[in-house]
Amino acid sequence: HKVNKCTVWDSMKLLNMSVAEIAKSFKLPILKERIDYASHNNGEPPTADEWHYIKNDVQIPAMALKQMFEAGFTKMTASGNAFNNYREFIGVKRFNKLFPTLSIETDSKIRTAYRGGFTYANPDNCNRDIYDVAGFDVNSLYPSVMAFRPLPYGEPIEFQGQYRKNNIYPLFIQHIRCMFELKENHIPTIQIKHSRFFLGTEYLKSSRNRSTGEHELVELSLSNPDFELFIKHYDVFNIEYLGGYMFRQST
């Protein structure tokens, strides 16, 4: 009736390097050893040298983890330690005020406005060779956005109908019901998930039903950057504003 539980943690999420690199980076008293894998006879028990090799491979990450834990990095991912360190740095009381735990109902409503990355191919260019193209990359885009772009914090305020400009709560999520058509020479930006009328992975050119060709009234939850992009790229009609949440902002 006694239960022994063992939790297996992936040290790679904290020490993202090889065993050999760990030993050198942490200046450990033991180093990664070499072994000839081909020399082992299948079916035979490990030799003393093989056991020593395995023990060495286990001890190196363990010794490095011990150093990390003693330094106060007790979470098992780099991001988890960064998050925990930030919370301790500003104080738990201030952290909870800036980033409060929302009710399940509020959280579930806000999550409908979450969007992932944008990946799109112009249908006119699909399935054919394209020449004389250029590639662009942006370094450290996530840190630069966090440093220079307004982001929401604190307890959100629910509002009814259409969002009205509010200098104290300038960021918002707007819930709407509408129909729409993509403007000429504009890129589609809207996907509708979990609907029998639309393909969830497709960026829509309109709110027309795939089967009937008739417009459907659809409900959308959009954060203010997505809402502004939606109005810019689409002709929107029969729109009804269903309320939403507004937030304080900070960089």
Side-chain angles (χ1 to χ4, degrees), residues 15-102:
L15 306 172
N16 190 12
M17 60 187 88
S18 68
V19 173
E21 290 171 326
I22 292 173
K24 292 178 181 178
S25 298
F26 283 80
K27 297 180 172 54
L28 299 180
I30 56 175
L31 297 175
K32 168 76 174 175
E33 296 182 353
R34 295 180 178 273
I35 195 171
D36 182 8
Y37 287 94
S39 65
H40 180 78
N41 294 321
N42 289 334
E44 294 293 323
T47 65
D49 288 341
E50 288 169 341
W51 274 123
H52 184 268
Y53 172 83
I54 294 169
K55 181 180 179 181
N56 207 64
D57 265 17
V58 173
Q59 281 185 312
I60 288 172
M63 293 167 75
L65 286 171
K66 186 171 185 290
Q67 287 189 29
M68 294 291 286
F69 295 157
E70 288 175 347
F73 301 110
T74 57
K75 305 299 180 182
M76 280 304 294
T77 64
S79 59
N81 279 301
F83 179 86
N84 196 52
N85 182 256
Y86 174 71
R87 181 166 52 189
E88 292 178 357
F89 177 74
I90 68 171
V92 175
K93 186 176 180 180
R94 182 167 180 239
F95 180 88
N96 290 337
K97 184 178 180 180
L98 294 175
F99 309 104
T101 301
L102 304 179

